[in-house]
Amino acid sequence: MSDAAIHPTAIVGQHARIGKGVKIGPYCIVGDKVILHDNVELVSHVVIDGNTEVGAGSRIFPFASVGLQPQDLKYHGENSRLVIGERCTIREGATLNPGTEGGGMLTKIGNDCLIMASAHVAHDAIIGNNVIMANYVGIAGHCQVGDNVIFGGNCVVHQFTRVGAHAFIGAHSMVDGDVIPYGMAVGNRAVLTGLNLVGLKRRKFDREEIHKLRAAYRMIFASEGTLRERVEDAAELFKGNALVQDVVAFIAAASDRPILLPRNGPTLD
């Protein structure tokens, strides 16, 4: 801890593990079991407790509550964990809770995530890399969020919901069904409104691969036959397209889960 810059008003547990270059600002509280890797910064008034690990280069802003007891009545003091990846930014008033015995004992945030002010990540949620949660987003317990997902402000996501990689969730949406990879969902209750084409183009996906994904989307969410039949047809027809296969695998992985569907068919702009 000799290399760390700790403000005299901060309270740091005797057994906390503090990496090189860590900055702990005024009035922060760091619990005994906390691990702060190199160059983590707690700006001020941060409370971080429990069996919590914060990856190198992450910054946590004032009044964030990180690693405290889950908001779950089934929690009975089990030694569950919260792991936050590298280079994450957690803004003012955000709340992140550890896991529970009923959900794998782990809440995990990937690398390079931005969790804006007053957002919430509940117990046992697994969040991928490069995820952006705008203000007041609420991720309920046991959710799974893939890489590069963007949530607009005031979104809420129902427990156990999966959101596939590169999806976009529009502001003020209430998501109570799984969102396919590369999909775009909006509304209360949310419906699938197409593919996140803007995100795909910004991330330099191949144009031809995007065209094939659009064709597969129309096939999967057409009205003829069952969803299972249409998914199987798309898997066969587009077997060489990695984007389509991501969608197919996502749907097949949890056939008992509700999945968001388009309200008026699969029309794409």
Side-chain angles (χ1 to χ4, degrees), residues 90-110:
I90 300 169
R91 294 304 306 250
E92 294 82 355
T95 54
L96 289 76
N97 295 153
T100 64
E101 186 176 17
M105 298 284 285
L106 174 67
T107 302
K108 186 175 182 180
I109 313 293

Side-chain angles (χ1 to χ4, degrees), residues 51-53 80-86 88 90 96-100 103-111 113 115 121-129 131 133 139 142-147:
N51 196 4
T52 299
E53 181 175 352
S80 56
R81 303 171 61 214
L82 167 64
V83 176
I84 299 169
E86 298 180 353
C88 290
I90 300 169
L96 289 76
N97 295 153
T100 64
M105 298 284 285
L106 174 67
T107 302
K108 186 175 182 180
I109 313 293
N111 299 326
C113 292
I115 300 176
V121 179
H123 58 89
D124 305 294
I126 304 297
I127 311 297
N129 302 317
V131 170
M133 299 180 194
I139 307 295
H142 310 278
C143 289
Q144 298 179 30
V145 177
D147 296 343

